[in-house]
Amino acid sequence: MKKLLSVLFVYTSFCSFAQDQLNYQQPPAIMRDLLLAPTTPSVSLDSKAEWMLIMERSSYPSIAELAEPELRIGGLRMNPANFSASRAGSVTKISLRNIASKTDYPIQGIPADLHAGNIQWSPDQTKFAFIHTSDTRVDLYVVTIATKSAQKINQLPLNTLPGFSFAWAGNEKLVYKTVPVNRNPMPEKKPAPSGPVVQESLGKKGASRTYQDLIKNPYDEEMFAYLTTAQLMVNDFKSEQALGTPDIYSLVSVSPDNNYILVSTVANPFSYLVPYNGFPQRVYIMNMKGVIVKTVASNPSEEGAPIGFDDVPEYPRSFQWRTDVPATVVYVQAVDKGMGRSKSEFRDAVYAINPLSQEPPVELFKTHKRFQGIIWGDKEHAIVYESMFSDRKTRMNLYNPTTGKLDSLFERSSNDAYSDIGTPMTRKNEFGKNTLIIQKEKEILLRSQGSSPDGDMPLLQSMDLTTGKRTPLWRCTPPYYETVMDIIDPEKGIFLTSRESTTETQNYYLRDLKKPAPAGMPLTTFKNPYPQLDGVTKIKVSYKRADNIDLTGDLYLPKDYSATKNGALPVIIWAYPREYKSAADAAQVRGSKYTFTRLNWGSPIYWVTQGYAVLDNAEMPIVGEGDKEPNDQFIPQLYLNAHAAIQHLAILGVGDSNRVAVGGHSYGAFMTANLLAHTNLFKAGIARSGAYNRTLTPFGFQAEERTYWQAPDVYYNMSPFSFADKIKTPLLLIHGEMDNNTGTFPIQSERLYNAIKGHGGTVRYVQLPYESHGYAARENLLHMLWEQHQWLEKYVKNSGK
């Protein structure tokens, strides 16, 4: 009898702590319909604006689709059934529109159950190609515009791992990778290991970030090699010819003149500490017959490479073709041993290699900061970017490829949006590659967000490369948010824009600078996918925190709401903290008050339909000026930000300061848990896929470059896990079961849940099956909305009832 009572006690104790076993639930119907509303199609124009592709994307996949086989190895997530990345989004419908006649044409020969990706125009834009992914294979299709028909050109199934799918080699050839013929059977996992997995360090530094999905054992190594090994092919639409031998190709790039292929292959030993792009690699150039004509580099594993934000490996990196000449490879190599904190006049040097020359690489120029990229133009003009994280400065340079001269054009703080002059516009040259648009032999065109105290107002301007003078050519005007997408004819001043407003969804227009038509010629007439939100008010609110830093947020109020009639509403504040080295930069207005309201799966705006005031994109700047680091005052500044937002909504009369929830995703979840641990401002919190114990990310996180051992107090005090005993405000934790983001392992939520529970706090932990850092499955998303809705209704709207 005593033994039976003991068993019953254990059983009832277990049941009292058992996990809730729920079937999938659904939120209110209006929220469900908003989530499942069709997305606005995307478009792609040829360079002459004669033809336009209209592409419709799939809605959220089912949980059954997410449950399909997936291997997570070497930093990749792979579908072993078809040798492609798992869970890739896809285009489900492609139609062709003649812009002059405004006639839409179906395309014959496209697969019925289309799952298209990587859609690319041919260089002469008489064709476009795409990959189609089925359950068992990936195929390559070419669509000819003249016939409006598609042709599958490959015989062997494609292998798109670890990332490359195909590239045009002129107008009549494509280069791609296939699954090798006569390959060995897939490795079988033995039921019992042959021995332990051993890693060893022999005194050499080997710090690394907290990566997910790494290789963990010899079987993982076998599977990684089996799934990623591919045969390179060239296809002239009649037959496919093998190039070289099967290998693990991480880079495949065709030269502008279509005579060579720049290749990078992954080699053993595979690392257990870094993803595949940090494995040893061999870089070489082959001709179109598969013969290697030049070895460019043989790089070791990135294990042990410095990990500071301004640090880089000491060996060559960033291999690419020059786009302005037939066949020249350029690459970058550190001249400061890759150590960004070291004293050095120069940081990087850029080199060029000719595949047919026996001469060593030629140095083109050196940069004082870290090289960030180059936009090639003509024989006298190229734009070079360099920057450093340590001083938050970015520099735009003018490079003369003929003389080798490098001159600074413009420098600004990378946090200073107001001073951003924009990005140079490009067009295709004789090789079909994008190069700078250069007018009057000295001017480039810049496309800018046009950030200002009034919000973003995109503009197009020219810049004189001799004097630096900028001349505005066009700017969007209220009540629209309109941005330049592409230049169709720079000489005639014709360009493509995307336009929207608070009441009109995104549509595309052709504008002519020489004709002052108010809207240009409309190319699309996409309809509002969210009629349920008609009448909802959106306001860009501005307010100050206690130390006088200006803050903003996007406030949404329910349809027909009036503060005098309806009174103060329950509030949801949704945010994501960002670090700044300048209070002035932190105070800048970001975003636009004229944009159309879009709902993604993670948005808090759904609750404006449920009687809440929603403050989305609430600014949460963390500032550390001079020698101070932002995170040294992370918690006090979080309080200032949150308190200011709550008080401002109360002053407006729209927000009930006693019924406020806070929420966020990833670093926003980290913020949420900290606010609940250190303040009493909120009735509830929602934290999705966050990291809460910073000792589990000891070599840096977000914008924190110091390691745990350099700043242990910062890591401890910023970890809400350290203060789990103080979290008494109800907290809903949600996490994807298969989170793939650096540092946000599901164990972060599991351990915080247990810590809060162990101290008697009110907490609920929901783990979504098969989900990554971003969630995808329809059933999971609807259930997530239901969970959040139940939490908000119980602990915020109806708190105290």
Side-chain angles (χ1 to χ4, degrees):
M1 183 67 179
K2 188 178 293 185
K3 183 176 181 181
L4 176 60
L5 288 173
S6 177
V7 170
L8 288 173
F9 175 77
V10 171
Y11 176 77
T12 55
S13 296
F14 170 79
C15 289
S16 67
F17 290 99
Q19 302 301 309
D20 290 340
Q21 298 298 318
L22 280 180
N23 293 325
Y24 281 117
Q25 303 294 310
Q26 295 205 0
I30 190 172
M31 296 173 68
R32 177 199 63 210
D33 294 343
L34 285 169
L35 174 74
L36 300 180
T39 58
T40 300
S42 58
V43 305
S44 176
L45 272 67
D46 65 11
S47 59
K48 296 179 181 179
E50 294 178 350
W51 293 95
M52 177 169 65
L53 306 181
I54 301 176
M55 297 162 285
E56 299 179 22
R57 294 196 168 270
S58 58
S59 58
Y60 301 111
S62 68
I63 189 66
E65 291 176 83
L66 254 64
E68 291 175 354
E70 178 185 66
L71 292 178
R72 301 181 294 279
I73 307 172
L76 295 172
R77 296 201 162 184
M78 304 173 282
N79 186 336
N82 59 18
F83 292 83
S84 74
S86 58
R87 309 183 184 195
S90 59
V91 170
T92 56
K93 182 180 179 181
I94 307 173
S95 57
L96 192 60
R97 177 174 295 176
N98 182 275
I99 292 175
S101 67
K102 299 183 180 179
T103 303
D104 288 353
Y105 297 92
I107 299 172
Q108 303 300 317
I110 279 187
D113 184 21
L114 183 64
H115 287 82
N118 199 21
I119 299 170
Q120 298 182 35
W121 289 95
S122 63
D124 65 1
Q125 299 183 320
T126 61
K127 308 176 187 70
F128 67 89
F130 64 87
I131 58 170
H132 166 64
T133 304
S134 67
D135 291 341
T136 58
R137 59 184 284 152
V138 179
D139 291 303
L140 181 57
Y141 284 77
V142 173
V143 175
T144 302
I145 302 299
T147 63
K148 303 172 188 64
S149 61
Q151 171 193 4
K152 183 175 82 71
I153 68 164
N154 63 297
Q155 285 81 49
L156 296 169
L158 270 65
N159 183 332
T160 60
L161 299 170
F164 171 80
S165 56
F166 70 90
W168 286 95
N171 299 308
E172 303 297 333
K173 287 183 180 179
L174 285 163
V175 173
Y176 52 91
K177 299 182 302 178
T178 65
V179 177
V181 295
N182 301 321
R183 67 185 186 277
N184 294 326
M186 182 179 290
E188 291 186 11
K189 190 171 185 177
K190 298 176 181 178
S194 58
V197 176
V198 177
Q199 300 182 61
E200 185 176 20
S201 177
L202 299 175
K204 184 179 179 180
K205 289 184 178 180
S208 62
R209 301 292 179 194
T210 315
Y211 296 111
Q212 309 271 40
D213 302 337
L214 297 179
I215 287 177
K216 299 179 178 64
N217 52 56
Y219 175 73
D220 281 355
E221 295 189 56
E222 291 182 59
M223 285 303 300
F224 177 83
Y226 177 81
L227 289 172
T228 58
T229 297
Q231 174 64 60
L232 202 59
M233 294 283 189
V234 62
N235 190 315
D236 60 2
F237 306 165
K238 298 174 184 177
S239 63
E240 52 188 9
Q241 174 188 344
L243 299 175
T245 57
D247 212 328
I248 302 174
Y249 295 93
S250 57
L251 169 68
V252 179
S253 178
V254 178
S255 64
D257 66 2
N258 303 309
N259 290 326
Y260 301 97
I261 305 174
L262 175 63
V263 167
S264 176
T265 58
V266 171
N268 270 305
F270 299 154
S271 173
Y272 286 36
L273 293 178
V274 296
Y276 80 93
N277 52 9
F279 293 178
Q281 64 171 325
R282 180 188 176 206
V283 184
Y284 57 90
I285 301 168
M286 67 166 59
N287 63 24
M288 295 304 291
K289 295 184 180 298
V291 177
I292 297 175
V293 298
K294 174 84 71 173
T295 297
V296 179
S298 294
N299 290 340
S301 169
E302 285 191 8
E303 283 190 24
I307 62 170
F309 292 172
D310 288 323
D311 296 343
V312 294
E314 192 173 358
Y315 44 77
R317 67 186 198 277
S318 301
F319 304 92
Q320 57 189 281
W321 293 105
R322 279 183 60 166
T323 59
D324 61 328
V325 294
T328 297
V329 170
V330 292
Y331 67 89
V332 188
Q333 188 161 6
V335 295
D336 62 354
K337 297 186 178 181
M339 306 300 292
R341 294 282 183 178
S342 64
K343 291 184 179 181
S344 181
E345 181 181 2
F346 296 102
R347 296 292 174 190
D348 285 326
V350 176
Y351 296 89
I353 293 179
N354 185 318
L356 294 181
S357 172
Q358 299 303 315
E359 298 297 321
V362 176
E363 181 184 302
L364 300 182
F365 57 85
K366 289 190 179 79
T367 58
H368 295 280
K369 301 178 184 294
R370 280 279 172 252
F371 174 83
Q372 298 299 332
I374 186 166
I375 305 174
W376 297 98
D378 58 21
K379 293 180 180 180
E380 297 182 352
H381 305 94
I383 299 297
V384 174
Y385 287 94
E386 55 181 304
S387 68
M388 294 292 281
F389 174 83
S390 58
D391 61 7
R392 310 305 203 272
K393 292 292 178 65
T394 184
R395 181 181 296 164
M396 178 183 183
N397 302 299
L398 175 63
Y399 172 62
N400 187 318
T402 299
T403 65
K405 190 176 181 183
L406 187 72
D407 294 312
S408 177
L409 277 176
F410 183 77
E411 185 170 322
R412 68 179 182 92
S413 164
S414 57
N415 291 150
D416 182 4
Y418 292 174
S419 67
D420 186 1
I421 63 174
T423 304
M425 300 291 291
T426 63
R427 64 175 166 184
K428 294 187 183 301
N429 60 10
E430 67 270 28
F431 303 117
K433 305 299 182 182
N434 288 322
T435 51
L436 288 172
I437 296 171
I438 301 173
Q439 298 181 309
K440 302 176 184 178
E441 298 183 352
K442 63 175 182 177
E443 290 183 355
I444 61 174
L445 297 178
L446 297 168
R447 172 177 54 187
S448 169
Q449 279 294 96
S451 300
S452 73
D454 293 325
D456 292 350
M457 297 295 290
L459 77 152
L460 180 70
Q461 59 186 334
S462 64
M463 180 180 184
D464 189 309
L465 294 174
T466 303
T467 65
K469 180 182 177 182
R470 299 188 298 276
T471 303
L473 303 175
W474 171 87
R475 189 166 197 153
C476 79
T477 55
Y480 295 103
Y481 176 83
E482 188 171 5
T483 184
V484 174
M485 304 297 292
D486 200 1
I487 297 289
I488 304 300
D489 191 328
E491 285 74 29
K492 293 182 179 180
I494 298 174
F495 55 99
L496 173 70
T497 70
S498 165
R499 194 185 79 169
E500 61 190 89
S501 72
T502 56
T503 58
E504 297 177 21
T505 192
Q506 180 185 40
N507 274 290
Y508 297 90
Y509 295 80
L510 275 183
R511 278 196 170 273
D512 187 338
L513 285 178
K514 298 178 181 179
K515 294 180 180 179
M521 184 179 86
L523 299 180
T524 60
T525 54
F526 300 136
K527 304 301 182 184
N528 178 3
Y530 311 120
Q532 304 93 327
L533 296 182
D534 287 348
V536 167
T537 302
K538 176 187 175 183
I539 307 168
K540 191 78 173 177
V541 293
S542 301
Y543 49 97
K544 288 182 181 289
R545 73 185 200 185
D547 58 0
N548 287 321
I549 290 181
D550 293 317
L551 304 174
T552 62
D554 297 324
L555 175 62
Y556 296 85
L557 297 171
K559 180 179 180 180
D560 300 326
Y561 169 77
S562 166
T564 54
K565 287 183 181 180
N566 306 107
L569 300 173
V571 176
I572 302 170
I573 296 176
W574 202 265
Y576 190 97
R578 299 189 185 279
E579 300 84 351
Y580 298 90
K581 289 295 291 179
S582 159
D585 289 348
Q588 291 184 353
V589 178
R590 290 165 179 83
S592 170
K593 56 187 172 184
Y594 300 118
T595 53
F596 181 73
T597 298
R598 292 179 181 82
L599 295 182
N600 59 44
W601 60 266
S603 173
I605 301 172
Y606 295 98
W607 280 273
V608 77
T609 68
Q610 304 299 308
Y612 291 80
V614 178
L615 185 64
D616 194 17
N617 300 317
E619 293 287 348
M620 293 278 176
I622 309 298
V623 183
E625 295 188 302
D627 295 333
K628 296 180 181 178
E629 292 295 329
N631 285 338
D632 292 341
Q633 293 295 314
F634 183 82
I635 302 301
Q637 292 195 52
L638 271 190
Y639 173 83
L640 293 178
N641 294 325
H643 184 263
I646 293 169
Q647 292 306 307
H648 182 69
L649 298 186
I651 291 170
L652 292 178
V654 301
D656 182 348
S657 60
N658 293 313
R659 291 188 298 163
V660 183
V662 63
H665 190 89
S666 194
Y667 208 56
F670 172 71
M671 168 206 74
T672 296
N674 266 308
L675 282 169
L676 267 54
H678 297 284
T679 78
N680 294 312
L681 297 173
F682 301 98
K683 286 295 183 182
I686 299 172
R688 295 196 314 243
S689 296
Y692 310 107
N693 183 346
R694 284 300 162 197
T695 66
L696 298 180
T697 56
F699 287 103
F701 58 91
Q702 206 70 7
E704 178 54 67
E705 190 174 15
R706 295 169 296 185
T707 70
Y708 166 75
W709 297 273
Q710 293 170 323
D713 290 346
V714 170
Y715 277 69
Y716 177 86
N717 290 322
M718 285 184 67
S719 296
F721 181 83
S722 304
F723 304 93
D725 58 326
K726 308 297 183 186
I727 300 178
K728 302 304 179 185
T729 302
L731 175 60
L732 174 62
L733 294 166
I734 302 176
H735 217 118
E737 177 190 19
M738 297 177 178
D739 195 320
N740 60 341
N741 185 53
T742 302
T744 54
F745 293 92
I747 195 173
Q748 293 272 6
S749 288
E750 294 168 10
R751 300 319 301 162
L752 182 61
Y753 167 78
N754 277 280
I756 297 172
K757 172 184 172 183
H759 288 93
T762 300
V763 62
R764 180 177 175 90
Y765 175 40
V766 179
Q767 188 176 84
L768 300 177
Y770 299 107
E771 294 291 1
S772 298
H773 192 61
Y775 312 152
R778 183 168 52 251
E779 295 90 338
N780 280 334
L781 295 176
L782 289 169
H783 185 85
M784 178 200 73
L785 291 178
W786 178 83
E787 290 279 1
Q788 294 179 167
H789 184 62
Q790 300 302 310
W791 202 256
L792 293 169
E793 291 288 287
K794 180 177 182 179
Y795 292 111
V796 181
K797 180 186 282 188
N798 300 306
S799 65
K801 294 184 181 180

